[in-house]
Amino acid sequence: MAQFIARRTLRLTLLAGGVALVTSSAVAGPPPQSVARQWNEVLLGAIRVDYARPTIHARNLYHVSVAMWDAWAVYDDVADGIFNTEKLPDGPGKREEALSFAAYRVLKARFVNSPGAAESLLAFDNLMDALGYNKDFEETFGNLPAAVGNRCAASVLAAGLADGSNEINEYVNQYYSPVNEPLLPDFPGNPDITDPNRWQPLALEWFKDQGGNVIVGGYPEFLSPEWGIVTPFSLKPADATIYQRDNFDYWVYHDPGPPPQIGGVGDDYYKWGFEQVSIWSSHLDATDGVMWDVSPASIGNAPLPDPSQYDSYYDRINGGDWGPGYTLNPVTGQPYTPQIVPRGDYARILAEFWADGPESETPPGHWFVLLNYVSDHPDTVKQLGGEGPVLDDLEWDVKTYLAMGGAMHDVAIACWGTKGWYDYLRPISAIRYMCDQGQSSEIGEPDYHPHGIRLIPGLIERITMASASAGERHEHLAAYIGQIAILAWRGHTYITDPDTDTAGVGWIRAAEWWPYQRPTFVTPPFAGYTSGHSTYSRAAAELMTLLTGSEYFPGGMGEFYCPQNEFLVFEDGPSMDVTLQWAKYGDASDQCSLSRIWGGIHPGADDLPGRQMGLIIGPEAFCEASRYYNGQFTCPADIDGDGVVGISDFLALIGLWGSGDCNADVNADDEVGIDDFLTVLGTWGVCP
């Protein structure tokens, strides 16, 4: 099998107590993986060399997963296809061949205009050649597996052109325009913002996205603010609130309501959240002497708060959340080994690891990496939901990819629909704006302004004659008496060589505050509310729990190794070897969410509502995928998926009466009840 060699490729290595993802320059030899997995890997490789577009790549992951599923389902007696619903007799190698043609055609169409097209298209061709298939066969008629695959791909691509994404025009926005003039982050302050509750573009001489692609002469437009109208996988119209602005209908699924507004409802929480971002910026120094145990013995196991607890969920001053960790490994019953590391290393690693995935596969692709990682673990038994027959690798992969692809696609629609409508600003805009106004702690002082930032001794202070005198903490800021200073990561002006230099933390002029991101990126080019990372990750964590039947990583431990002085990108570090560790899928999700505060990208007001959305979307996607697995679109009352409505379906329905079980909820009204019972009776013995 020819292998796809990307800039860096992920492989899986066993470590004591768990599995760790490590990087290498190539994967040698034929991978012992299903053909679906091989196509997923080349897709992830193509994402890594494309523009960093999480919505578009969530859709690509979904559509490639659907193409493979539909091709596989053609040869299954029970399963329902999504865009292609034909049935043909199975035979040796038919599913693999049909699936490969389906994936290949979709991938070739979707990445033909990618900045990494030369690399990606060659990888797709090489995989087809290695599999022994004639990639030049484009026929869609007849029952040859290649023709079946081509038909499945054609159905997916046709649906994509009519799904509201505006793919035919390269996904450009048709109605949205920002209300604020761009922020020039290389210059101090934020003098041109007119609405501090709305998103503000950033303007740079040149911008490099998290995939490493350069955009010269400015900044990309808001990515996908109109994405709420895209056709979803499992989201229902009843879950959407439709708003209108500028002659466009913004669909907001699972509407979280508006974010806090400075000068309006939630003024205190607005300040509290953006102040927290600046406070956590002061943690990004491995030499400050603060040491943490970052093993599951001390971190993780944090129940999500309800809205009344949002401000108490975080440790605002020291960082992290209220999770107490685990006394024992819930799977093995053995204690976790403590891992004592500098907090500054841990926080910086989180900010980079979770920013766009370890290899820039974007957050939805990152969760496919984690899914593959779990699938490869020797302790994983490939039973959907932890029950029933053990699936072969191909069936496991096509089913789990369908569910994960559907969930990630639905998150993109729900989250970016929210972003487009609420159009909320980012911390760099808010922090600089508030500090430009002054402070709001001391009424009557000359620098008081109701929109000003609040003073916190030792963290957010006014620069005074005394504090700026010789030998004092603000001495280097003496030219800015009366302005606001923040104890924070000092920024890229302190880094000449990222292979050897670190910026560290110190007192900086608040007007020059910078998030912990590369200087050519600064902040993602779309609104903050709600956090895409939080929504993607919580949905994926819930889905992983449902797919595997356990909320825990195999063996109660997932790990990612970050070598000393090699892992960080835009400054040197970490100062010692650090291994990220998670007991639950939810712990990884929570860590992802916290990383965006340390990275200077989101306040808590963006984070926790996103997690609540993901908490709903993950199970919804699992239920929808299960209906396709069981053939319940063709035969809704076939609860157990055996191809006929009978006594086992009746008993299952009775046993689940009054619940919201998605398979027994035949009429999809979110409750197992009399209507479902009547449907089972009315179709007894047959599948209409």
Side-chain angles (χ1 to χ4, degrees), residues 17-19 331 373-375 377-380 550 552-558 583 585:
V19 171
V331 176
Y373 153 67
V374 169
S375 297
H377 196 287
D379 289 347
T380 295
S550 172
Y552 299 104
F553 278 88
M557 178 73 95
Y585 303 119

Side-chain angles (χ1 to χ4, degrees), residues 59 63 110 155-169:
R59 179 174 173 270
H63 280 164
R110 289 292 168 78
S155 297
V156 169
L157 294 172
L161 292 176
D163 70 351
S165 66
N166 199 24
E167 178 187 349
I168 197 167
N169 293 312

Side-chain angles (χ1 to χ4, degrees), residues 296 298-305 312-314 320-326 538 542 551 583-591 594 608 611-612 615:
S298 300
I299 287 178
N301 198 24
L304 289 183
S312 60
Y313 171 79
Y314 304 103
D321 57 31
W322 63 19
Y326 302 82
R538 179 51 60 172
E542 295 300 311
E551 61 185 330
K584 292 179 181 176
Y585 303 119
D587 295 337
S589 168
D590 293 341
Q591 191 184 81
L594 297 178
L608 290 166
R611 297 198 217 184
Q612 294 294 340
L615 199 66

Side-chain angles (χ1 to χ4, degrees), residues 176 222 224-229 239 241 243 245 250-259 410-424 527-532 535 605-606 609-610 613 617:
Y176 174 87
F222 189 136
S224 307
E226 299 153 10
W227 210 251
I229 66 168
D239 297 330
T241 305
Y243 299 98
R245 184 178 65 228
Y250 286 86
W251 284 55
V252 180
Y253 290 92
H254 302 301
D255 187 359
D410 282 357
V411 165
I413 292 167
C415 186
W416 265 257
T418 303
K419 288 177 182 289
W421 171 247
Y422 289 112
D423 198 34
Y424 202 49
Y529 182 81
T530 54
S531 165
T535 315
D606 294 349
M613 292 171 68
I617 293 170

Side-chain angles (χ1 to χ4, degrees), residues 431-454:
I431 290 171
R432 290 193 181 192
Y433 167 77
M434 288 192 294
C435 292
D436 279 355
Q437 309 314 303
Q439 55 80 26
S440 59
S441 295
E442 300 174 358
I443 299 174
E445 292 297 317
D447 61 348
Y448 173 80
H449 191 284
H451 289 189
I453 201 165
R454 294 177 300 194

Side-chain angles (χ1 to χ4, degrees), residues 616-672:
I616 299 169
I617 293 170
E620 285 182 342
F622 177 77
C623 283
E624 190 78 352
S626 296
R627 293 188 175 103
Y628 285 107
Y629 304 159
N630 295 340
Q632 286 186 278
F633 287 90
T634 299
C635 185
D638 183 16
I639 295 168
D640 62 1
D642 66 354
V644 66
V645 180
I647 189 64
S648 59
D649 303 302
F650 176 79
L651 293 175
L653 186 143
I654 296 302
L656 294 166
W657 195 271
S659 75
D661 181 86
C662 54
N663 295 123
D665 179 20
V666 175
N667 67 345
D669 66 353
D670 297 325
E671 184 178 5
V672 179

Side-chain angles (χ1 to χ4, degrees), residues 281-285 288 487-490 503-508:
S281 183
S282 73
H283 303 161
L284 303 173
D285 188 341
D288 64 5
L487 186 67
W489 184 66
R490 296 191 299 174
V505 166
W507 285 100
I508 64 169

